[in-house]
Amino acid sequence: QVQLVESGGGLVQAGGSLRLTCAASGRSFGAYTMTWFRQAPGKEREFVAAITWSGGSTTYADSVKGRFTISRDKAKNTMYLQMNSLKPEDTAVYYCAAGLAPLRRDSRNGYAYWGQGTQVTVSS
């Protein structure tokens, strides 16, 4: 059974940094794409970043390019999201997810497994 567990969220001032962690278990993720999405109150869940587990190819939403970095540690079965220069508009619940070769990395439909989320709040 696949389990994805996020951690690392919290309250930070604008301009600050946080690192989110997604611990993955339950299967081999070699053929999978791993991703971070976020959902702010009253808004749709939106794509943040994705990485292929095997080759480490990355994709980012325009809103976070240059500020966020996605990475993974195969040995630890863990994915990270380093978030720098945080803005109040980054406030959301952040979810990690895993999908087997999604057609579109930025679509929720491509990901079968989801974590419970971790809250990130950026104060101005």
Side-chain angles (χ1 to χ4, degrees):
Q1 183 178 354
V2 173
Q3 258 199 322
L4 302 173
V5 180
E6 303 96 334
S7 61
L11 173 63
V12 65
Q13 287 189 330
S17 298
L18 281 174
R19 188 176 81 156
L20 304 184
T21 297
C22 175
S25 62
R27 70 178 308 132
S28 171
F29 291 94
Y32 277 70
T33 295
M34 310 291 288
T35 188
W36 290 97
F37 275 68
R38 66 186 182 187
Q39 188 166 18
K43 294 190 176 182
E44 296 280 321
R45 194 171 296 191
E46 66 173 4
F47 171 76
V48 176
I51 187 167
T52 58
W53 193 259
S54 179
S57 170
T58 58
T59 307
Y60 294 93
D62 288 343
S63 59
V64 306
K65 276 181 185 174
R67 299 189 299 123
F68 291 10
T69 302
I70 190 171
S71 62
R72 85 278 185 250
D73 185 329
K74 292 182 183 180
K76 296 182 178 179
N77 251 24
T78 302
M79 176 177 66
Y80 304 98
L81 185 68
Q82 178 66 44
M83 305 186 295
N84 299 328
S85 302
L86 282 161
K87 305 175 182 180
E89 51 263 44
D90 295 317
T91 295
V93 177
Y94 283 69
Y95 298 90
C96 70
L100 189 59
L103 290 178
R104 285 188 55 180
R105 294 186 186 182
D106 62 349
S107 171
R108 292 179 58 179
N109 295 333
Y111 301 97
Y113 304 105
W114 291 83
Q116 292 301 306
T118 185
Q119 176 71 47
V120 171
T121 303
V122 184
S123 63
S124 56

